[in-house]
Amino acid sequence: MKIEQRSSKFENRRSAKENKMTLTDIAIQNLRRRKGKTFFLLLTFILVVGITVTLNSLAKGMQDDLQKSLTQYGANVVITPKSEHFTLSYGGLSVPGIDYEIKHLEFDSLAKLNNTPNLILNGIAPKIIGSVTGEINRYLIIGVDFPTELKMKPWWSINGQLPSEQEIIIGSYLAQKENLAIENALELNHKSYLIVGIMQETGGSEDSGVFTNFNTARSITGIDSWSMIELNTAQPTKSATLMRELLPDAKVSEISQLVQGAKESVDRFSSFSLITSILLGIIGVLIVFVTTLGNINDRATEIGIFRAIGFRRQHILSILIREISLVSLCGGVLGYFIGILMPTLLAPIAFQKTVSSEFHPFIALTAISASVIIGVVSILLPARRAIQLDPLEALSSI
């Protein structure tokens, strides 16, 4: 008797498993028979997920690129001499004013910064900047410490060698404009200086500059204080506050403040991506809802046959959910991979930036899960209508 009961339980479990597999097979066969509508639903999920992932990947890439440029490369805090500014106004029209009471960044400022451990400095690059007359033109003189400056600005590339005393490096535009080359001499303030290197084009003011070490820069310009100090610190906001207390005669600015316009553009694009993603989700729900509702109407006879041969309502509901789940799952996976590949093609065209394709498990799981949820939510109302069909009424059309 016990053996017969165990055998009966085993057969029931086996029958349940076979029934489960049968429902899945029916769902797959239904999708195969309706290739056009299946492809349309699949394309809908691919587009919704693909566009959403593309926009959010572009937004994340732009944020990472901006953050990388602020924290990893170059300075993120700039110190300049403090000055008072007087604005002129005539008849309600503002005209360029004048700066007065210009302070000085004394040479001991560097020691104060280096001896303050709370600043967490990764790099510090002071500069002496001035202009002098040459034989014909005026030249921008920039005195730097080349080892620290090249570490702060890895994009600088110099043809030639670093200058020693009474030697200089010139920018690419200046070399081209005045037809200067290495081993030529340039007259600055009634004295000739040997050109030992030419800086490759950077697209900035460096292209027209004359670079040298601190001693030579002081000798040429006569400036006996720092013109500017660039710093790279792990905590720019906190460090900037400490620097303002440490150097009351200096103006301390975060680079993030100087690139506020770029940051605002990135934030606006991120908000646009989020809103577009929500709208695409809503549109996807509506498209799937309308499509599946039409399918239910077309399949009334089929559903009536299923009910007539013994399928219960939960079986019909299970078949419909499995169908949409398979389509939305495949569409979500394909849409995600298309979405992470598209930014590599669009970013150089739209933003003149390069965005690498990276697989993010959390984003992938979120996108694919959202695709399946959209599909299931969209079919709930049509499925409810399907399971409430009267088998006799559905079969009357045969």
Side-chain angles (χ1 to χ4, degrees):
M1 187 67 180
K2 291 182 178 180
I3 294 175
E4 291 179 357
Q5 290 178 349
R6 290 178 180 176
S7 177
S8 177
K9 289 181 181 179
F10 177 78
E11 290 296 332
N12 290 337
R13 291 177 183 174
R14 181 179 178 182
S15 177
K17 289 183 179 179
E18 289 178 353
N19 186 51
K20 182 179 179 181
M21 290 300 295
T22 301
L23 295 179
T24 303
D25 290 339
I26 292 173
I28 294 174
Q29 290 301 323
N30 287 337
L31 293 175
R32 288 178 176 175
R33 284 191 297 109
R34 296 174 175 83
K35 293 180 180 178
K37 293 180 179 179
T38 300
F39 177 77
F40 177 75
L41 287 174
L42 182 65
L43 186 62
T44 299
F45 286 108
I46 290 175
L47 289 176
V48 169
V49 175
I51 295 174
T52 299
V53 173
T54 297
L55 290 175
N56 286 276
S57 298
L58 283 172
K60 187 177 183 304
M62 292 171 65
Q63 290 174 340
D64 292 344
D65 182 71
L66 182 61
Q67 187 65 27
K68 184 179 180 180
S69 64
L70 291 176
T71 58
Q72 185 174 355
Y73 297 104
N76 51 23
V77 177
V78 176
I79 302 175
T80 54
K82 183 181 289 186
S83 63
E84 300 294 335
H85 185 76
F86 180 70
T87 302
L88 301 176
S89 178
Y90 294 97
L93 298 176
S94 296
V95 297
I98 58 173
D99 292 324
Y100 64 97
E101 291 189 11
I102 301 175
K103 308 295 183 181
H104 295 282
L105 277 176
E106 302 299 338
F107 289 131
D108 61 354
S109 301
L110 204 60
K112 292 180 181 179
L113 295 172
N114 284 320
N115 295 330
T116 307
N118 292 335
L119 296 178
I120 316 179
L121 297 178
N122 298 324
I124 181 168
K127 295 174 180 57
I128 296 175
I129 303 174
S131 65
V132 298
T133 57
E135 187 175 358
I136 300 176
N137 302 316
R138 292 191 66 85
Y139 299 95
L140 175 67
I141 309 300
I142 306 172
V144 300
D145 177 56
F146 282 94
T148 57
E149 198 71 28
L150 291 173
K151 182 180 178 182
M152 190 81 73
K153 296 181 175 63
W155 57 87
W156 277 15
S157 181
I158 299 173
N159 296 327
Q161 64 185 38
L162 299 182
S164 301
E165 297 295 330
Q166 309 302 311
E167 294 177 343
I168 59 173
I169 290 174
I170 61 175
S172 59
Y173 176 75
L174 179 60
Q176 182 180 7
K177 178 183 176 182
E178 301 198 8
N179 196 25
L180 296 171
I182 297 175
E183 300 298 333
N184 290 165
L186 181 64
E187 183 177 322
L188 300 170
N189 207 7
H190 308 294
K191 187 176 179 180
S192 294
Y193 293 87
L194 180 66
I195 300 173
V196 295
I198 297 176
M199 184 175 295
Q200 293 185 5
E201 184 178 1
T202 64
S205 59
E206 297 96 333
D207 295 340
S208 300
V210 176
F211 300 86
T212 186
N213 56 41
F214 292 137
N215 290 333
T216 305
R218 282 197 292 264
S219 173
I220 296 173
T221 62
I223 298 175
D224 59 355
S225 62
W226 301 124
S227 303
M228 179 173 65
I229 302 176
E230 293 180 327
L231 304 100
N232 183 285
T233 174
Q235 299 176 340
T237 302
K238 180 180 178 181
S239 298
T241 303
L242 293 175
M243 291 176 197
R244 292 186 184 101
E245 298 175 358
L246 189 66
L247 304 173
D249 291 337
K251 179 182 178 181
V252 181
S253 304
E254 296 179 56
I255 297 296
S256 58
Q257 297 172 345
L258 302 179
V259 294
Q260 189 65 29
K263 185 176 184 300
E264 289 176 356
S265 298
V266 172
D267 291 341
R268 282 195 295 270
F269 185 78
S270 299
S271 300
F272 168 76
S273 300
L274 178 61
I275 294 172
T276 303
S277 300
I278 295 173
L279 291 176
L280 284 173
I282 296 173
I283 293 172
V285 169
L286 294 176
I287 292 176
V288 176
F289 171 77
V290 172
T291 305
T292 52
L293 187 61
N295 286 342
I296 297 300
N297 294 331
D298 295 340
R299 295 170 64 180
T301 302
E302 176 188 332
I303 294 171
I305 294 174
F306 281 148
R307 294 296 308 279
I309 62 177
F311 278 73
R312 297 179 179 179
R313 289 182 175 180
Q314 59 265 33
H315 294 151
I316 304 298
L317 179 62
S318 179
I319 291 172
L320 295 176
I321 291 179
R322 288 167 197 240
E323 289 178 8
I324 198 67
S325 297
L326 289 171
V327 175
S328 60
L329 179 63
C330 294
V333 172
L334 292 174
Y336 172 75
F337 284 106
I338 291 174
I340 62 174
L341 291 175
M342 286 303 294
T344 60
L345 303 176
L346 296 178
I349 299 173
F351 305 105
Q352 290 75 50
K353 295 181 181 296
T354 302
V355 177
S356 59
S357 298
E358 296 182 8
F359 177 76
H360 298 281
F362 177 76
I363 297 178
L365 181 62
T366 302
I368 296 171
S369 300
S371 177
V372 175
I373 291 172
I374 288 174
V376 174
V377 169
S378 303
I379 204 174
L380 288 179
L381 188 59
R384 183 171 178 269
R385 181 178 177 180
I387 62 177
Q388 290 178 346
L389 284 174
D390 186 355
L392 295 178
E393 183 182 344
L395 291 172
S396 63
S397 61
I398 298 178

